[in-house]
Amino acid sequence: MTDRPLLPATAPDHPPRPTPSASAQPTDPAARLRDVLAELGIRPAVPLIVHASLHGTGLAPFLVRDALLAASGVAGTLVVPAFTPENSDTSREYRAATHGLTEREKAAFRASMPPFAPDSSPCHSMGALAECVRTTPGAVRSTHPQTSFAGLGPRAAELLGGHDPHCHLGERSPLAALYAADAQILLLRVGFEVCSAFHLAEYRTTPPAPRRTYRCVMGERGNWISYEDLALDDGDFGVMGQRLPRELVMEREWAGKTVTLCAMRAVVDHAVDQMAGYRFGMT
């Protein structure tokens, strides 16, 4: 986490968005999900980036995947984050996993960390839907060892190809291609705290954010690589999501939590403006 000024203490320009009423909704979670996706207005043939939490929905991940593909149409492309922070010793996950270990124990843990392999490395920390998409026959995965994406659909190879291993989520990542493709973002029972598209805004903010060194293991066990990239910071993403103008988001409810749909270009551009307003003092 980088040191930077806190967000202004003023209240948002609008009150928190209420969660839609759950009254008179179908009791079958699959039917309700199909209704929600139809009500939100997912655009056929437009790439759809999905962040999801299925815990407590009672619905298997493959059924959610199929509902999303159906909503996107035969020309649509479904994209999910397939991040693997577990293979890095500069990640929050590594620090949490090794907290309290002795130096000797940390060294043993680090030596045992599996390398990233695009075809087989799981992305469990991204949730059941992401892992389901990744393992679906025909899925495409970008090759960044820490921040890969997985996708299904006719444009998956085009959108996820060419992921520079030295660029997590910037102009040489699938996020830039998805922005250019006018993708939509679906937050399925999760908030903007996990909206990876906001990271693209970090790369586009002036002045640029500081850089830092990242390390991860890839190819074979013990083959550690290091590289420099932007010092990514998602600590304010939730607040930025709350500050988005109402007209930029559509919301419904599914399985007791909010589902949000928005256009990637609009929210990334707004995030750039927000960050420029208070992140200029980062060091």
Side-chain angles (χ1 to χ4, degrees):
M1 187 70 69
T2 55
D3 295 327
R4 55 176 170 76
L6 295 175
L7 278 167
T10 57
D13 295 334
H14 50 75
R17 304 182 184 97
T19 300
S21 171
S23 61
Q25 295 176 356
T27 56
D28 173 27
R32 175 56 188 159
L33 176 60
R34 290 191 294 269
D35 288 348
V36 165
L37 297 177
E39 292 165 9
L40 285 170
I42 291 174
R43 294 157 55 197
V46 172
L48 182 67
I49 312 168
V50 181
H51 296 265
S53 172
L54 305 186
H55 180 71
T57 65
L59 209 57
F62 76 91
L63 293 175
V64 177
R65 176 203 63 195
D66 292 350
L68 293 167
L69 289 171
S72 297
V74 294
T77 298
L78 173 64
V79 176
V80 295
F83 301 171
T84 49
E86 301 85 0
N87 80 323
S88 168
D89 67 356
T90 53
S91 67
R92 287 177 294 196
E93 287 74 9
Y94 174 82
R95 292 192 294 273
T98 58
H99 178 72
L101 298 183
T102 66
E103 290 304 313
R104 184 174 181 177
E105 290 170 334
K106 285 182 180 179
F109 182 93
R110 187 176 186 271
S112 70
M113 291 169 64
F116 173 73
D119 294 336
S120 59
S121 291
C123 58
H124 295 310
S125 62
M126 296 295 100
L129 176 66
E131 183 65 2
C132 175
V133 171
R134 183 194 71 81
T135 56
T136 298
V140 174
R141 190 181 196 178
S142 70
T143 56
H144 194 283
Q146 290 188 262
T147 53
S148 65
F149 289 83
L152 290 166
R155 298 189 65 185
E158 167 202 345
L159 294 167
L160 305 188
H163 196 166
D164 188 327
H166 293 176
C167 181
H168 280 283
L169 299 164
E171 304 300 340
R172 302 185 309 280
S173 79
L175 285 183
L178 288 159
Y179 178 98
D182 199 20
Q184 290 183 299
I185 299 169
L186 184 72
L187 302 176
L188 191 62
R189 304 179 77 248
V190 295
F192 279 96
E193 292 85 356
V194 299
C195 182
S196 57
F198 279 169
H199 284 301
L200 181 61
E202 292 187 283
Y203 287 82
R204 297 181 173 184
T205 302
T206 303
R211 298 174 68 82
R212 55 164 285 196
T213 298
Y214 294 88
R215 289 187 300 273
C216 60
V217 58
M218 62 181 299
E220 59 185 36
R221 198 179 299 273
N223 180 41
W224 286 86
I225 66 168
S226 63
Y227 55 95
E228 281 197 358
D229 196 9
L230 214 66
L232 299 174
D233 181 2
D234 58 9
D236 51 8
F237 284 8
V239 176
M240 285 196 293
Q242 280 295 320
R243 290 175 176 268
L244 290 170
R246 286 180 180 272
E247 61 268 21
L248 296 187
V249 299
M250 286 284 292
E251 291 183 343
R252 292 294 185 270
E253 181 272 340
W254 178 57
K257 292 188 178 181
T258 302
V259 180
T260 303
L261 182 73
C262 53
M264 181 180 178
R265 286 181 183 173
V267 298
V268 168
D269 291 348
H270 197 276
V272 170
D273 291 340
Q274 287 196 59
M275 290 178 187
Y278 63 83
R279 281 194 176 188
F280 59 87
M282 289 197 307
T283 58

